[in-house]
Amino acid sequence: EVQLVESGGGLVQPGGSLRLSCATSGFTFSNFEMVWVRQAPGKGLEWVSYIDSTGDTLFYTESVKGRFLISRDNAKNSLYLQMNSLRGEDTSVYYCARPSPDSSGWRAFDYWGQGTLVTVSS
Amino acid sequence: QSALTQPASVSGSPEQSITISCTGSSSDVGAYKFVSWYQQYPGKAPKLIIYDVTKRPSGVSNRFSGSKSGNTASLTISGLQAEDEADYYCSSYTRSSTWVFGGGTKLTVL
């Protein structure tokens, strides 16, 4: 059974840092690209970042460029999101998600974690 | 990258059909066949219900169908059931190698 479990969320002050983790199981993690998606309270989904299977190719949404860093450890089957210089608008539930191999371009997300809440507030 | 445009809410009676539109641009929806739709219940993670514009993952009811014309994609739910009441999001891969989601549509089953 495929499982994605996020952790590391919490309350942080503006300007602070936080590192999210996503522990995976039930599939060959090293073969899959991965993404982070977030959802502000009462708002819609927003794609945040992408990493390819080797960690060599990274993409970010404009609002987090230079502040967030996505990474992975294939030996630990884990995905990470280092978030620095956090702002109030970063307050969201953060989901890790796996692109679907059934999608011809692996451009849809078939498995999601339960999410971890990040609250940026003084 | 601006969010894709979806109606904020739609409603329908049981057994009726509804359609949710998702309008983007030639840089996203119109560029590829990589449009997907997600169903989300309050407090839960999104669930993939349509990918590659028209395809359904295993286990998803055939009451859900997708289509696309130009820069607008659509999700149709036929034979509405009470359990379909949820939020629905479209998503598209973009020419910038990023993804963009719609603002979400709240479906109410009357």
Side-chain angles (χ1 to χ4, degrees):
Chain A
E1 179 191 7
V2 172
Q3 287 195 328
L4 308 174
V5 180
E6 301 95 338
S7 61
L11 175 63
V12 61
Q13 292 188 338
S17 298
L18 215 51
R19 188 195 196 206
L20 306 184
S21 298
C22 172
T24 75
S25 61
F27 66 103
T28 305
F29 180 72
S30 59
N31 289 348
F32 282 77
E33 308 162 342
M34 295 292 293
V35 300
W36 287 97
V37 176
R38 67 184 178 182
Q39 185 171 34
K43 302 298 184 181
L45 301 170
E46 180 186 23
W47 170 80
V48 175
S49 186
Y50 158 95
I51 187 169
D52 73 353
S53 60
T54 62
D56 290 338
T57 300
L58 316 176
F59 292 110
Y60 301 92
T61 191
E62 281 296 327
S63 63
V64 309
K65 282 182 181 178
R67 301 189 300 122
F68 288 14
L69 177 65
I70 188 172
S71 64
R72 64 191 297 156
D73 186 333
N74 286 344
K76 294 183 177 180
N77 297 323
S78 292
L79 175 72
Y80 306 100
L81 187 68
Q82 177 67 44
M83 303 186 296
N84 301 322
S85 303
L86 282 161
R87 307 166 181 167
E89 54 264 37
D90 295 318
T91 294
S92 290
V93 173
Y94 285 75
Y95 296 99
C96 60
R98 189 193 84 163
S100 169
D102 292 334
S103 169
S104 59
W106 293 42
R107 298 301 176 231
F109 311 126
D110 60 354
Y111 284 95
W112 298 63
Q114 85 288 351
T116 187
L117 177 62
V118 173
T119 303
V120 184
S121 175
S122 55
Chain B
Q1 181 74 52
S2 299
L4 306 176
T5 301
Q6 297 181 232
S9 63
V10 298
S11 62
S13 300
E15 297 308 314
Q16 283 188 334
S17 294
I18 63 95
T19 296
I20 299 172
S21 62
C22 169
T23 301
S25 70
S26 57
S27 295
D28 39 63
V29 174
Y32 304 110
K33 62 177 180 178
F34 301 135
V35 175
S36 51
W37 290 88
Y38 301 86
Q39 177 190 61
Q40 187 181 36
Y41 294 111
K44 300 297 185 182
K47 173 188 175 184
L48 179 65
I49 56 173
I50 294 288
Y51 66 95
D52 293 358
V53 179
T54 62
K55 299 177 182 178
R56 276 189 314 275
S58 175
V60 173
S61 171
N62 59 10
R63 297 185 299 104
F64 294 91
S65 62
S67 63
K68 189 185 84 162
S69 177
N71 297 334
T72 298
S74 298
L75 171 71
T76 296
I77 309 174
S78 59
L80 268 180
Q81 300 179 1
E83 67 201 48
D84 299 332
E85 187 162 295
D87 294 326
Y88 292 85
Y89 295 91
C90 62
S91 175
S92 176
Y93 189 62
T94 81
R95 290 189 185 276
S96 302
S97 300
T98 62
W99 282 263
V100 60
F101 283 90
T105 298
K106 180 177 180 59
L107 170 62
T108 300
V109 180
L110 303 172

